[in-house]
Amino acid sequence: MQTPVPDYLKHVLSQCQRNVGGQLADYIPELAQADPNKLALALSTADGMIYSSGDDGHEFTIQSMSKPFAYALVLEQLGIEEVLQKVGVEPSGEAFNQISLDKELNIPKNPMINSGAITTHSLIQTTAGISRAEQLRRFLSELAGRELSFDEQVYTSEMKTAFRNLSIGYMLRTVGALDTDPVEIVNGYIQQCAIKVTVKDLANIARVLANGGLHPKTGECLLDRAVVRQVLSVMLSCGMYDAAGDWLTTVGIPAKSGVSGGIIGVLPGQVGIAVFSPRVDEHGNSVRGIDIFERLSADMGLHLMEGTPSAQTIIQSCYWAGKNDDVRVYELRGVLQFTESEMLLRNLQEEPPGDTTIVLDLTNLTLIHDVGARMLFEGVERLQQDGHRVVVVDSEGILSEAQMKGNKRVVVKEKLTKYLEKFQ
Ligand code: GLU
């Protein structure tokens, strides 16, 4: 049997190929030379699988899709609070290259418009001899899993016509948002935009965000969880230029587009999506890219606001065991977050006080959030106060050391069936 996912992606591309709306971006002369017919799509899962279709080996410049990652890098380097002093998180509702600042704070409104991205670029910490753009290239290469390079032609072409970005740089220097040479910073920012990627690279990068900052294969922590949350939040509210509200309602996936025709999207815990088609609309977003995202979101139920009600299914089964039928077993499944823990504890509340043994089996859980672990052990303590002996079976080791802290004596690592033999 072959999974139908690749066929589905091919089908989506063939449907969207007919859409020839939009124009090649020409304010960067080199981008106007792009082949308008190129079309590619890649989808990655949070556990690391990558599917791709169309011109998936074609390289294009990352342009504004570099902005969330420059932001991620400086958040990692300086911490969220310090970065917030320099760049805000409010949607601007203005064009990406508007020469504007937050009127009250005198800082750029967010890191996804050029004023915010240029300021963010200036915050990248480097060691002597390494430029900020190079530092970001290395960081993106690590996320993409291959060595990325700069497109010198696109860089030179944009530098020749970078009057607006230079104006933004000078304006930022005037108000003190930049404390170094604005020409050097704008130059570095334009180099950052000229890093070459394929849709597969973008899908590789996206899967790290979808997986909470951990490399899906090695488990290595590449980005702090709080940084991932910050970046995705800003992508959601500000990632699609002045069409962010339209995008949020129709597609509902945190995303960032670039004028080269790419869009990168991340649905936390689920998928990363990257598309490429160079014709863009009046906001600078890829026309076919939007079309593809709209179809994927609708067909695969990916809209962020369509939460799945998993709480009702947290208890897989509940039964009596032991020679005298005096051991109460709760087998749990799925993900234990707040709503599932609340449902579990509400069920446990029905247990009458007494000295029965209660076994909570975590074997079929796929994930326990910290709040889930806290509520679980709070429930254990309350059951103990009612006179019960309580055992948590964690044969797959899903609880982290930190989550178990102080509760290790109630956790057993044996298989459930093995543990229950004691009562026969
Ligand atoms: N390098 C481009 C600029 O700053 C990027 C714009 C974009 O992709 O939206 O003008």
Side-chain angles (χ1 to χ4, degrees), residues 302-316:
L302 296 179
H303 197 293
L304 202 62
M305 299 306 162
E306 279 185 29
T308 8
S310 62
Q312 284 85 337
T313 57
I314 188 67
I315 299 174
Q316 175 170 313

Side-chain angles (χ1 to χ4, degrees), residues 128-201:
I130 297 178
S131 69
R132 297 176 181 87
E134 169 61 14
Q135 190 75 32
L136 182 68
R137 188 200 64 77
R138 293 182 185 185
F139 177 59
L140 280 169
S141 300
E142 192 186 12
L143 297 180
R146 81 169 178 113
E147 229 24 72
L148 304 175
S149 57
F150 294 105
D151 187 323
E152 294 300 332
Q153 261 167 300
V154 173
Y155 160 68
T156 315
S157 170
E158 184 168 0
M159 273 313 286
K160 282 193 192 136
T161 54
F163 313 115
R164 203 169 175 98
N165 281 332
L166 284 166
S167 321
I168 294 175
Y170 281 114
M171 181 267 298
L172 292 168
R173 183 74 179 94
T174 310
V175 297
L178 286 187
D179 49 18
T180 41
D181 176 13
V183 178
E184 181 201 325
I185 297 300
V186 170
N187 189 325
Y189 161 74
I190 288 173
Q191 236 180 326
Q192 145 183 343
C193 291
I195 295 172
K196 283 188 285 186
V197 286
T198 64
V199 284
K200 278 199 205 166
D201 295 325

Side-chain angles (χ1 to χ4, degrees), residues 80-245:
I80 295 176
E81 283 314 312
E82 192 172 335
V83 177
L84 283 175
Q85 306 294 315
K86 305 272 189 182
V87 183
V89 287
E90 295 304 329
S92 70
E94 295 164 345
F96 70 98
N97 55 5
Q98 190 76 23
I99 306 178
S100 70
L101 289 174
D102 183 297
K103 290 203 174 52
E104 276 162 35
L105 303 171
N106 237 5
I107 58 172
K109 286 196 182 129
N110 69 66
M112 302 294 133
I113 49 171
N114 286 12
S115 57
I118 291 169
T119 307
T120 304
H121 181 86
S122 78
L123 299 175
I124 296 175
Q125 310 291 300
T126 56
T127 42
I130 297 178
S131 69
R132 297 176 181 87
E134 169 61 14
Q135 190 75 32
L136 182 68
R137 188 200 64 77
R138 293 182 185 185
F139 177 59
L140 280 169
S141 300
E142 192 186 12
L143 297 180
R146 81 169 178 113
E147 229 24 72
L148 304 175
S149 57
F150 294 105
D151 187 323
E152 294 300 332
Q153 261 167 300
V154 173
Y155 160 68
T156 315
S157 170
E158 184 168 0
M159 273 313 286
K160 282 193 192 136
T161 54
F163 313 115
R164 203 169 175 98
N165 281 332
L166 284 166
S167 321
I168 294 175
Y170 281 114
M171 181 267 298
L172 292 168
R173 183 74 179 94
T174 310
V175 297
L178 286 187
D179 49 18
T180 41
D181 176 13
V183 178
E184 181 201 325
I185 297 300
V186 170
N187 189 325
Y189 161 74
I190 288 173
Q191 236 180 326
Q192 145 183 343
C193 291
I195 295 172
K196 283 188 285 186
V197 286
T198 64
V199 284
K200 278 199 205 166
D201 295 325
L202 292 175
N204 267 316
I205 295 170
R207 68 182 185 171
V208 177
L209 294 183
N211 197 34
L214 304 181
H215 189 288
K217 296 279 186 210
T218 63
E220 190 190 344
C221 182
L222 299 175
L223 285 169
D224 190 79
R225 212 181 175 83
V227 167
V228 173
R229 195 178 66 184
Q230 181 80 4
V231 171
L232 292 180
S233 306
V234 174
M235 282 166 75
L236 185 62
S237 56
C238 317
M240 295 302 282
Y241 305 122
D242 36 345

Side-chain angles (χ1 to χ4, degrees), residues 340-406:
E340 296 81 16
S341 316
E342 186 276 334
M343 174 65 78
L344 171 65
L345 297 188
R346 205 180 330 149
N347 275 267
L348 289 170
Q349 192 169 253
E350 303 299 316
E351 288 293 336
D355 58 1
T356 46
T357 297
I358 295 183
V359 176
L360 302 169
D361 176 40
L362 312 187
T363 308
N364 294 324
L365 285 184
T366 47
L367 188 69
I368 300 192
H369 282 265
D370 288 348
V371 61
R374 283 202 305 275
M375 289 176 71
L376 177 82
F377 288 120
E378 179 67 33
V380 168
E381 202 179 309
R382 288 174 184 231
L383 288 168
Q384 286 169 333
Q385 280 162 9
D386 281 354
H388 297 287
R389 179 177 138 73
V390 190
V391 176
V392 173
V393 173
D394 183 22
S395 61
E396 297 296 316
I398 193 158
L399 284 164
S400 68
E401 282 291 317
Q403 290 174 336
M404 257 187 298
K405 206 165 132 245

Side-chain angles (χ1 to χ4, degrees), residues 27-28 31 62-65 67 96-97 112 114 118 158 165 189-190 193-194 241 256-260 283-284:
Y27 74 98
I28 302 174
L31 290 186
I62 191 166
Q63 297 300 337
S64 280
M65 291 175 290
K67 292 172 180 172
F96 70 98
N97 55 5
M112 302 294 133
N114 286 12
I118 291 169
E158 184 168 0
N165 281 332
Y189 161 74
I190 288 173
C193 291
Y241 305 122
K256 184 73 203 88
S257 61
V259 279
S260 50
H283 302 289

